[in-house]
Amino acid sequence: CGAVVRNERGLVMAALSAKRPPVLDSEAAKALACRKAMEFVVDAGFSKIILEGDNVHVMKAISSPAVNSSRLGLIYENI
């Protein structure tokens, strides 16, 4: 998985590349990559974060205030 942290002008502030274990499908891969990216930005000391991703299901699940009871629900809650 990979992530790029940019500032408000689009300049790269940090980047991440990490190897992940195999997963069952692309939604799980995107959710786990998102969680890793969030861990990275928090550990790097960033506090104001705008998260962007290309998987609509993952982005909706993350931004929803409702409890997610899917198999990935705990990952979404963690994010």
Side-chain angles (χ1 to χ4, degrees):
C1 67
V4 177
V5 179
R6 298 181 184 273
N7 66 10
E8 63 278 355
R9 294 182 303 209
L11 299 174
V12 175
M13 304 300 292
L16 164 74
S17 177
K19 199 168 192 172
R20 303 294 303 167
V23 293
L24 297 175
D25 56 45
S26 65
E27 183 179 359
K30 296 288 184 171
L32 290 169
C34 184
R35 184 175 68 182
K36 182 67 176 175
M38 291 299 290
E39 290 170 356
F40 172 68
V41 297
V42 169
D43 289 347
F46 295 98
S47 59
K48 295 181 181 180
I49 300 165
I50 297 173
L51 182 64
E52 295 179 357
D54 62 357
N55 187 301
V56 176
H57 292 100
V58 173
M59 293 297 110
K60 283 184 180 179
I62 291 168
S63 62
S64 173
V67 175
N68 187 313
S69 59
S70 74
R71 64 183 173 82
L72 299 173
L74 292 177
I75 294 171
Y76 293 136
E77 183 179 321
N78 188 249
I79 295 168

